[in-house]
Amino acid sequence: MGDKEKTRKVIRKNYASIATKGSAGGCCSTSGCCNSTTTDANIASKMIGYTEDDILNVPVGSNMGLGCGNPIAIASLKEGETVLDLGCGGGFDCFLASSRVGESGLVIGVDMTPDMINLARNNAKEDGYANVDFRLGEIEYLPVADGIIDVIISNCVINLSLDKEQVFKEAYRVLRIGGRLSISDIVATAEIPEEIKEDIAMMTGCIAGAEYVENIRAMMNRAGFKDIKLIPKDTGKEIVKSWAPDRNVEDFVSSYIIEAIK
């Protein structure tokens, strides 16, 4: 437990730094991400699946180039739905979801980093978003009532959790019957070498904490999910290679689309 808490503190500190310094420019990237520019973040976002319109139609400070895919593209959001974003960061995906669910809908963003929540709230206030709500909390213990969520989205965050099975249990708890999970994340496709697992930079860089794909499926099954789909992104290996080009990480992790129904 002590090691887990130490790791959690390092992860929280890393993302607090990103929130206060600005654009990251590549997930969870291990290479000097906190000093990158807005242009870098935009390029990184396009690489993982966002469009120019996506980037232009959200508050400037919300896009930090974080992620490994575009969960909004697969979520098929509808007017009036209630959406939950696990690990919302500066609110980028929440703001994109906001326009899709409309005034009758609601988007809730949860993040464990106070600096990220402050950034997201400031972005929402400055741009007049009335249907978004940012909450401080851990995705293993969501500050959300039972059975009120229509869609859960997340972008390259669950791999950072030190208790992924608990994350899926919580996701199941807060979803309505028939609610759906539409996330993008990094999963392991082969055994991750010990030197990578023990590298804290690789943990904060969304690589060392990746769980084997079939273990993810088993966790989701135990949580109660049905119609589980784990689909590798066509550019998944290219994405992770760009974060650590000299470590051959693409040999054992990749970006996946993960979908399921309650």
Side-chain angles (χ1 to χ4, degrees):
M1 180 63 70
D3 288 343
K4 283 188 175 183
E5 286 304 314
K6 180 180 178 181
T7 301
R8 186 176 287 111
K9 287 179 181 179
V10 171
I11 292 171
R12 184 181 286 114
K13 182 178 179 181
N14 179 66
Y15 286 92
S17 179
I18 293 172
T20 55
K21 292 183 180 180
S23 301
C27 181
C28 312
S29 160
T30 58
S31 55
C33 62
C34 300
N35 297 319
S36 299
T37 66
T38 299
T39 299
D40 293 330
N42 291 348
I43 292 171
S45 294
K46 290 177 183 177
M47 179 182 179
I48 61 178
Y50 293 97
T51 67
E52 185 73 19
D53 282 346
D54 290 335
I55 294 166
L56 293 176
N57 289 321
V58 296
V60 173
S62 67
N63 180 22
M64 293 171 284
L66 301 174
C68 59
N70 178 1
I72 302 298
I74 62 172
S76 301
L77 300 180
K78 302 177 182 67
E79 189 87 14
E81 288 189 316
T82 299
V83 179
L84 173 63
D85 185 6
L86 305 182
C88 62
F92 184 42
D93 286 323
C94 290
F95 296 125
L96 290 175
S98 169
S99 63
R100 288 160 173 78
V101 301
E103 293 181 2
S104 61
L106 174 66
V107 181
I108 301 169
V110 173
D111 203 282
M112 71 171 182
T113 309
D115 290 294
M116 282 293 189
I117 291 296
N118 289 337
L119 174 61
R121 288 173 176 169
N122 287 336
N123 286 333
K125 183 177 180 180
E126 289 176 8
D127 283 64
Y129 284 86
N131 65 341
V132 295
D133 178 18
F134 294 106
R135 304 177 184 180
L136 181 65
E138 296 178 355
I139 60 175
E140 297 88 353
Y141 303 98
L142 291 166
V144 179
D146 294 355
I148 67 166
I149 303 297
D150 294 300
V151 189
I152 292 178
I153 60 173
S154 186
N155 195 353
C156 206
V157 172
I158 296 176
N159 74 84
L160 293 166
S161 172
L162 306 179
D163 190 349
K164 297 173 181 62
E165 185 143 7
Q166 176 64 19
V167 174
F168 289 115
K169 289 179 180 178
E170 278 289 272
Y172 190 85
R173 175 183 67 81
V174 302
L175 279 172
R176 302 181 194 276
I177 299 298
R180 58 199 189 275
L181 191 73
S182 299
I183 67 177
S184 178
D185 217 320
I186 298 300
V187 303
T189 55
E191 181 66 26
I192 299 176
E194 285 302 316
E195 64 268 23
I196 296 295
K197 289 182 180 180
E198 296 173 3
D199 186 335
I200 195 64
M202 285 289 173
M203 173 63 77
T204 60
C206 302
I207 293 171
E211 183 59 76
Y212 183 59
V213 59
E214 291 306 321
N215 291 345
I216 293 288
R217 189 188 305 277
M219 290 177 190
M220 295 174 71
N221 265 315
R222 287 193 292 270
F225 284 103
K226 306 298 181 185
D227 298 328
I228 299 168
K229 299 176 183 176
L230 294 103
I231 306 167
K233 280 181 64 67
D234 292 341
T235 57
K237 290 188 178 296
E238 179 184 349
I239 289 169
V240 296
K241 183 177 182 179
S242 71
W243 301 342
D246 300 323
R247 301 292 295 272
N248 297 319
V249 293
E250 69 276 12
D251 291 342
F252 43 84
V253 299
S254 187
S255 175
Y256 267 60
I257 294 166
I258 303 173
E259 298 179 286
I261 303 292
K262 176 174 177 177

